[in-house]
Amino acid sequence: MSHQTYEAAAPGVGRQAIERLFNPRSIALVGATERSIWSTAVQDNLTRFGYAGRVHMVNPKGGTIFGQAAATSCAATGEEIDAALLMVPESKMIEAFADLRQARVGGAVILSAGFAELGSAGAERQQELAAAAREAGIRILGPNCLGFANFVANTPMWTTPLRRAMPGANVAVVSQSGAIAGQLEQFAYQQRVGLTHMIATGNEADISVADAIDYLAGQPEPRAIALFLESVRDPARFVAAVSAAAAAGKPVVVLKVGTSEATARAAQAHTGSLVGNDRTFDALCLQLGITRVRSLEELIVTTDLFARLGPVTGKGLALTAMSGGVCEIVTDQAEAEGVAIPQLADATLARLRETLPALATPSNPLDITGAAMLEPELIARSLEELASDPSIGVLGFVFDAPLKEDKRGFARTFIKNVGAGFQSAGKPCLMMSNTFTSVNGEARALTEELGVVYSGGGVRHCVNALGHLLRRGAWQARVRTAGAQRATVDRRPATERAVLEHLAAYEVPVVPALVVRSADEAVQAARTLDAPVVLKIASPDILHKTEVGGVALNLRGDDAVRAAYDKMMASVTAAKPEASIDGVIVSPMRGAGVELFVGTMRDPQWGPAIVVGLGGVLVEVLKDTSMRLLPIQQQDALDMLQELRGAALLDGFRGAPAVDREQLARTIVAIGEAALALGPDLLSLEVNPLLAADGRIEALDGLTEWSQS
């Protein structure tokens, strides 16, 4: 159920009820019993956290539970209750909601399973539950949900053991899996990453990850949001929530698993088959500034650094270590992961030569060598010089904070100099451990005392995280504003020529062409073009022309054109006797160049998208493609070209002339605009090949696929 549907049924209560649920002044534990591990865990959490509100034990049998008298129902308490934790069987759930309604409860966490996760019958029971909640004006978290913890308000409505909140917390966790949320909480504690909120959404009968993100966007404490995602049930709501978080300066970092069946169905269009099931979500992340990671560890490490380092405006990373081997590891990793480690400016190198001992070589990454062991001040001076380089946006220093200070204070001295260098840098800076390691309270206290942001995530995860930080900074620098409403056209170009004419209307350069209906007309057209020509069959019923003998290349002279025309008509008629033939297209033969594929598709969840790939006919084999959701801008198209593994082919590989990337990007943007103009019934518009040769860019072929509705 979407948030919009809920509020339509219960106007005015949606946001207010969510606030009551996640920051309650009173709580009811419905179905509480000392025999339940769930009841025991949530009661222990509330006691240990020092929850300041009233906690009501509710059990139809009454009695004494956890040392206090239990009410037989929420209504029987005679008090206002903001949030209820339902730990009753699925069969008693509707009855429980009647009680919640009578007691005017604001929101409910439903621990119980037995709903949509069991199939269609369970889904029906879940819909009945959601309807009862809507009627009562109660927001639901769950069912099949471990709950939430509002650490900043000392409110853990969570049904497994939790640790107390840490000072300076600024990371929120949202997860569709309660078990994963629990693992993230444990790992965050191991790394001394303070959590402000943890919300598990379960089956999402009502409150979804989008609602949770939207709620957190309005809270002052979280500075970044870690999201574990299995599926998105309401795409429009999700986009709006992430956009609200971005507007509030709260980056979203996501670990998404699985693939969407709806996206898989988009593969009916050729373009969809090229990008696979999960690429559309990748494109969405690029469009919305969401950072996508691949492991639980990376999720916490990255979100933590987003929260503590804040936005980055520079281009690249400068990294310093007291080990040449570490510097080499970082160089290899950065290249593999696309993290920018720029070469330093000549002026920077000159200043470093004056600063460093003779055995050290100024470079990026910078090995300041073991000389720093004797002269720790080299650390501060080197970091200050690196920070002055105009290409550097963020600095890193590799050094392990001790779990316990050594008696002679060596580590303190080193970290003090790291802090001095960081403070003079005026840019985001991070000290990272060499390998993945735990961070205890003493290590965190020492680094914070000395003005150092420290992560135990190790070189691998920290360098990746800093790369994500730099990429988000670049995204923020060009966040688009909403464009003007695009007009659609009332036509469905189906033939190659009609598609090319439509593209030309949107300033896409297309190859000249004439449509002929006889061999004599073909000869005359070839004479008019005064060049070697290509013949291609023109038929709305034939999409892949080469398979039926519908293409003839590099024809010179009247006899060759006439013979090719007659042969083509005979071949096509034999292969496709039922096909409607509009004629034959005569175009000039183009020389060798860089062939590209540009295609659009309409994803069932996320809407129109565009794919760019290299290879022409080889694109199906190479699948070297990049993707974005439409509409795109010039810089998006340039980024897509750079993401291709074969991008070097655009720059004059082995003596070939370079392609004008700016012109090519404008053409890709124009193809996207032409596709959007055809409206929602267009499944796919494809240009293959888009040829870059002889200083020009031209669409040589185009086709469309349409929905049957």
Side-chain angles (χ1 to χ4, degrees):
M1 178 195 311
S2 72
H3 181 70
Q4 294 94 325
T5 302
Y6 186 98
E7 293 202 321
V13 304
R15 183 173 294 277
Q16 179 184 4
I18 282 184
E19 294 285 349
R20 288 181 66 192
L21 173 62
F22 288 143
N23 193 16
R25 294 167 297 178
S26 57
I27 293 171
L29 304 182
V30 181
T33 169
E34 294 181 16
R35 297 189 301 274
S36 166
I37 60 172
W38 311 110
S39 293
T40 301
V42 70
Q43 169 65 13
D44 286 350
N45 287 335
L46 289 165
T47 301
R48 189 168 58 257
F49 275 56
Y51 172 65
R54 181 72 182 273
V55 180
H56 301 276
M57 302 297 162
V58 177
N59 190 301
K61 296 180 181 179
T64 300
I65 301 174
F66 298 120
Q68 69 182 78
T72 56
S73 67
C74 290
T77 66
E79 298 183 22
E80 184 179 85
I81 296 171
D82 286 325
L85 172 61
L86 302 187
M87 298 174 286
V88 301
E90 174 271 325
S91 60
K92 299 289 186 181
M93 202 61 66
I94 299 300
E95 180 182 332
F97 264 89
D99 173 42
L100 298 185
R101 180 176 186 177
Q102 186 177 355
R104 297 182 179 275
V105 173
V109 175
I110 303 178
L111 171 68
S112 309
F115 293 94
E117 76 276 7
L118 298 183
S120 58
E124 290 182 10
R125 291 192 296 271
Q126 183 167 305
Q127 290 174 359
E128 292 173 4
L129 177 66
R134 279 201 309 276
E135 186 178 352
I138 297 171
R139 301 306 302 260
I140 299 174
L141 188 65
N144 189 24
C145 171
L146 292 183
F148 73 89
N150 184 338
F151 291 94
V152 295
N154 293 320
T155 305
M157 284 186 67
W158 188 265
T159 50
T160 63
L162 288 178
R163 296 170 179 83
R164 287 291 307 274
M166 285 180 284
N170 52 21
V171 169
V173 169
V174 178
S175 174
Q176 289 177 319
S177 164
I180 291 295
Q183 292 297 318
L184 290 172
E185 185 267 339
Q186 291 183 37
F187 180 70
Y189 184 85
Q190 174 189 319
Q191 292 294 305
R192 290 304 185 273
V193 175
L195 300 185
T196 64
H197 302 76
M198 179 171 65
I199 302 172
T201 59
N203 288 10
E204 299 188 357
D206 171 27
I207 295 175
S208 66
V209 292
D211 294 298
I213 292 169
D214 185 67
Y215 168 78
L216 293 168
Q219 303 306 304
E221 299 86 4
R223 295 184 59 188
I225 300 169
L227 173 62
F228 176 77
L229 191 62
E230 295 167 328
S231 63
V232 177
R233 295 176 173 88
D234 187 340
R237 177 74 178 129
F238 181 79
V239 169
V242 171
S243 299
K250 303 177 191 293
V252 174
V253 182
V254 63
L255 171 61
K256 185 181 184 299
V257 296
T259 58
S260 162
E261 290 184 7
T263 301
R265 287 196 296 271
Q268 75 227 22
H270 178 64
T271 306
S273 69
L274 288 174
V275 299
N277 296 337
D278 206 35
R279 291 283 300 281
T280 311
F281 188 78
D282 278 335
L284 177 79
C285 291
L286 290 168
Q287 219 85 352
L288 296 179
I290 300 172
T291 295
R292 189 171 186 184
V293 297
R294 303 296 174 180
S295 70
L296 296 174
E297 298 90 341
E298 192 182 0
L299 179 60
I300 290 297
V301 170
T302 302
T303 311
D304 171 43
L305 296 187
F306 271 43
R308 290 198 285 157
L309 294 181
V312 173
T313 57
K315 297 179 180 179
L317 164 67
L319 188 130
T320 305
M322 291 186 287
S323 164
V326 168
C327 291
E328 291 167 352
I329 291 171
V330 169
T331 300
D332 290 345
Q333 180 184 339
E335 182 176 353
E337 298 294 336
V339 180
I341 298 189
Q343 292 184 351
L344 302 175
D346 290 342
T348 307
L349 294 172
R351 289 193 298 271
L352 283 171
R353 289 189 188 96
E354 295 177 0
T355 299
L356 295 170
L359 65 152
T361 302
S363 62
N364 185 24
L366 174 64
D367 173 17
I368 59 174
T369 74
M373 300 291 289
L374 300 175
E375 191 180 354
E377 295 79 8
L378 285 174
I379 299 172
R381 295 201 299 268
S382 298
L383 289 169
E384 183 177 1
E385 298 298 350
L386 286 170
S388 68
D389 193 280
S391 67
I392 301 304
V394 61
L395 281 82
F397 186 83
V398 183
F399 187 79
D400 287 62
L403 299 180
K404 185 175 180 61
E405 282 201 66
D406 59 279
K407 292 182 180 180
R408 297 184 182 276
F410 287 131
R412 173 177 283 271
T413 299
F414 291 134
I415 297 172
K416 180 180 179 180
N417 278 278
V418 174
F422 283 1
Q423 289 162 25
S424 66
K427 295 178 179 180
C429 300
L430 173 71
M431 188 175 88
M432 67 191 80
S433 59
N434 285 271
T435 60
F436 219 115
T437 184
S438 297
V439 180
N440 64 5
E442 189 169 342
R444 178 52 58 88
L446 174 63
T447 52
E448 290 182 349
E449 175 194 344
L450 299 176
V452 171
V453 175
Y454 174 65
S455 173
V459 166
R460 178 188 175 197
H461 288 297
C462 288
V463 168
N464 281 359
L466 294 177
H468 289 312
L469 198 66
L470 288 163
R471 284 187 285 271
R472 180 171 172 82
W475 173 83
Q476 288 176 303
R478 64 171 192 268
V479 172
R480 67 177 53 81
T481 56
Q485 184 69 33
R486 288 168 171 80
T488 58
V489 296
D490 186 20
R491 59 176 178 267
R492 281 193 172 194
T495 65
E496 173 192 335
R497 197 61 224 161
V499 172
L500 292 178
E501 288 173 355
H502 173 74
L503 290 169
Y506 285 82
E507 300 185 357
V508 177
V510 302
V511 67
L514 299 168
V515 179
V516 301
R517 292 172 178 79
S518 69
D520 289 340
E521 290 182 6
V523 169
Q524 185 57 46
R527 290 175 181 172
T528 301
L529 293 172
D530 192 26
V533 297
V534 175
L535 302 188
K536 291 186 287 185
I537 197 70
S539 169
D541 302 322
I542 301 174
L543 299 181
H544 302 291
K545 304 174 182 65
T546 56
E547 297 175 3
V548 296
V551 177
L553 305 175
N554 203 23
L555 303 173
R556 300 171 184 269
D558 295 354
D559 293 342
V561 171
R562 188 182 303 278
Y565 181 96
D566 292 338
K567 181 180 179 181
M568 179 178 298
M569 294 303 294
S571 176
V572 170
T573 302
K576 292 280 188 178
E578 75 288 354
S580 173
I581 306 298
D582 294 334
V584 171
I585 301 169
V586 184
S587 297
M589 180 73 189
R590 294 308 190 197
V594 178
E595 292 188 355
L596 297 101
F597 168 93
V598 181
T600 72
M601 58 177 281
R602 181 165 294 276
D603 181 82
Q605 277 194 309
W606 304 109
I610 189 166
V611 177
V612 175
L614 283 166
V617 296
L618 293 177
V619 70
E620 296 181 53
V621 177
L622 300 176
K623 288 186 168 56
D624 181 13
T625 60
S626 179
M627 183 179 185
R628 293 292 189 278
L629 298 183
L630 287 169
I632 61 171
Q633 296 180 339
Q634 176 86 353
Q635 188 58 51
D636 295 312
L638 289 169
D639 289 346
M640 293 172 76
L641 294 172
Q642 187 57 37
E643 289 164 11
L644 298 174
R645 295 190 301 274
L649 294 173
L650 301 174
D651 300 324
F653 187 71
R654 291 193 174 179
V659 175
D660 184 338
R661 289 201 187 198
E662 295 288 341
Q663 182 187 0
L664 180 55
R666 287 192 295 272
T667 301
I668 293 168
V669 172
I671 292 171
E673 293 295 322
L676 289 174
L678 293 175
D681 289 339
L682 177 72
L683 290 178
S684 176
L685 184 155
E686 296 176 0
V687 175
N688 189 20
L690 180 68
L691 181 67
D694 301 324
R696 61 173 169 254
I697 295 169
E698 285 180 327
L700 303 191
D701 199 351
L703 64 86
T704 55
E705 289 188 48
W706 299 86
S707 67
Q708 300 303 311
S709 59

